[in-house]
PDB file of all heavy atoms in Angstrom:
ATOM      1  N   GLN B  32     125.773  78.468  82.878  1.00 65.00           N
ATOM      2  CA  GLN B  32     124.763  77.441  83.095  1.00 65.00           C
ATOM      3  C   GLN B  32     123.516  77.989  83.770  1.00 65.00           C
ATOM      4  O   GLN B  32     122.620  77.244  84.094  1.00 65.00           O
ATOM      5  CB  GLN B  32     125.356  76.315  83.949  1.00 65.00           C
ATOM      6  CG  GLN B  32     126.273  75.372  83.163  1.00 65.00           C
ATOM      7  CD  GLN B  32     125.521  74.615  82.069  1.00 65.00           C
ATOM      8  OE1 GLN B  32     124.383  74.225  82.252  1.00 65.00           O
ATOM      9  NE2 GLN B  32     126.168  74.417  80.928  1.00 65.00           N
ATOM     10  N   GLN B  33     123.509  79.304  83.986  1.00 85.00           N
ATOM     11  CA  GLN B  33     122.364  79.880  84.685  1.00 85.00           C
ATOM     12  C   GLN B  33     121.075  79.744  83.882  1.00 85.00           C
ATOM     13  O   GLN B  33     121.099  79.724  82.656  1.00 85.00           O
ATOM     14  CB  GLN B  33     122.616  81.360  84.946  1.00 85.00           C
ATOM     15  CG  GLN B  33     123.289  81.592  86.283  1.00 85.00           C
ATOM     16  CD  GLN B  33     123.200  83.049  86.666  1.00 85.00           C
ATOM     17  OE1 GLN B  33     123.150  83.912  85.789  1.00 85.00           O
ATOM     18  NE2 GLN B  33     123.171  83.314  87.948  1.00 85.00           N
ATOM     19  N   THR B  34     119.985  79.698  84.612  1.00 94.00           N
ATOM     20  CA  THR B  34     118.675  79.631  83.972  1.00 94.00           C
ATOM     21  C   THR B  34     118.398  80.930  83.210  1.00 94.00           C
ATOM     22  O   THR B  34     118.629  82.017  83.734  1.00 94.00           O
ATOM     23  CB  THR B  34     117.592  79.445  85.045  1.00 94.00           C
ATOM     24  OG1 THR B  34     117.923  78.302  85.830  1.00 94.00           O
ATOM     25  CG2 THR B  34     116.224  79.253  84.419  1.00 94.00           C
ATOM     26  N   PHE B  35     117.904  80.804  81.974  1.00 96.00           N
ATOM     27  CA  PHE B  35     117.486  81.972  81.205  1.00 96.00           C
ATOM     28  C   PHE B  35     116.023  82.231  81.530  1.00 96.00           C
ATOM     29  O   PHE B  35     115.164  81.368  81.349  1.00 96.00           O
ATOM     30  CB  PHE B  35     117.677  81.725  79.707  1.00 96.00           C
ATOM     31  CG  PHE B  35     117.451  82.944  78.861  1.00 96.00           C
ATOM     32  CD1 PHE B  35     118.404  83.939  78.768  1.00 96.00           C
ATOM     33  CD2 PHE B  35     116.262  83.080  78.136  1.00 96.00           C
ATOM     34  CE1 PHE B  35     118.198  85.058  77.983  1.00 96.00           C
ATOM     35  CE2 PHE B  35     116.048  84.204  77.347  1.00 96.00           C
ATOM     36  CZ  PHE B  35     117.026  85.196  77.267  1.00 96.00           C
ATOM     37  N   LYS B  36     115.764  83.420  82.044  1.00 97.00           N
ATOM     38  CA  LYS B  36     114.430  83.702  82.569  1.00 97.00           C
ATOM     39  C   LYS B  36     113.637  84.581  81.595  1.00 97.00           C
ATOM     40  O   LYS B  36     114.026  85.703  81.301  1.00 97.00           O
ATOM     41  CB  LYS B  36     114.542  84.398  83.927  1.00 97.00           C
ATOM     42  CG  LYS B  36     115.298  83.547  84.968  1.00 97.00           C
ATOM     43  CD  LYS B  36     115.313  84.178  86.346  1.00 97.00           C
ATOM     44  CE  LYS B  36     116.261  85.343  86.484  1.00 97.00           C
ATOM     45  NZ  LYS B  36     117.673  84.975  86.505  1.00 97.00           N
ATOM     46  N   ILE B  37     112.514  84.043  81.122  1.00 98.00           N
ATOM     47  CA  ILE B  37     111.645  84.786  80.204  1.00 98.00           C
ATOM     48  C   ILE B  37     110.382  85.190  80.966  1.00 98.00           C
ATOM     49  O   ILE B  37     109.666  84.326  81.474  1.00 98.00           O
ATOM     50  CB  ILE B  37     111.238  83.910  78.996  1.00 98.00           C
ATOM     51  CG1 ILE B  37     112.477  83.389  78.255  1.00 98.00           C
ATOM     52  CG2 ILE B  37     110.312  84.678  78.048  1.00 98.00           C
ATOM     53  CD1 ILE B  37     112.173  82.276  77.252  1.00 98.00           C
ATOM     54  N   ALA B  38     110.126  86.484  81.058  1.00 98.00           N
ATOM     55  CA  ALA B  38     108.893  86.941  81.711  1.00 98.00           C
ATOM     56  C   ALA B  38     107.874  87.308  80.648  1.00 98.00           C
ATOM     57  O   ALA B  38     108.204  87.938  79.643  1.00 98.00           O
ATOM     58  CB  ALA B  38     109.168  88.151  82.600  1.00 98.00           C
ATOM     59  N   ILE B  39     106.634  86.874  80.854  1.00 98.00           N
ATOM     60  CA  ILE B  39     105.558  87.186  79.913  1.00 98.00           C
ATOM     61  C   ILE B  39     104.616  88.165  80.604  1.00 98.00           C
ATOM     62  O   ILE B  39     103.987  87.822  81.598  1.00 98.00           O
ATOM     63  CB  ILE B  39     104.831  85.896  79.490  1.00 98.00           C
ATOM     64  CG1 ILE B  39     105.899  84.893  79.059  1.00 98.00           C
ATOM     65  CG2 ILE B  39     103.754  86.206  78.445  1.00 98.00           C
ATOM     66  CD1 ILE B  39     105.723  84.096  77.867  1.00 98.00           C
ATOM     67  N   ALA B  40     104.598  89.387  80.083  1.00 97.00           N
ATOM     68  CA  ALA B  40     103.839  90.453  80.738  1.00 97.00           C
ATOM     69  C   ALA B  40     102.930  91.113  79.703  1.00 97.00           C
ATOM     70  O   ALA B  40     102.913  90.725  78.531  1.00 97.00           O
ATOM     71  CB  ALA B  40     104.801  91.467  81.355  1.00 97.00           C
ATOM     72  N   SER B  41     102.179  92.138  80.124  1.00 95.00           N
ATOM     73  CA  SER B  41     101.296  92.731  79.125  1.00 95.00           C
ATOM     74  C   SER B  41     101.052  94.218  79.305  1.00 95.00           C
ATOM     75  O   SER B  41     101.363  95.019  78.439  1.00 95.00           O
ATOM     76  CB  SER B  41      99.942  92.020  79.088  1.00 95.00           C
ATOM     77  OG  SER B  41      99.266  92.180  80.314  1.00 95.00           O
ATOM     78  N   GLY B  42     100.565  94.636  80.440  1.00 90.00           N
ATOM     79  CA  GLY B  42      99.919  95.944  80.488  1.00 90.00           C
ATOM     80  C   GLY B  42      98.453  95.605  80.622  1.00 90.00           C
ATOM     81  O   GLY B  42      97.982  95.280  81.713  1.00 90.00           O
TER      82      GLY B  42
END
Side-chain angles (χ1 to χ4, degrees):
Chain B
Q32 283 296 323
Q33 269 195 331
T34 305
F35 188 77
K36 301 185 285 288
I37 303 167
I39 310 224
S41 64

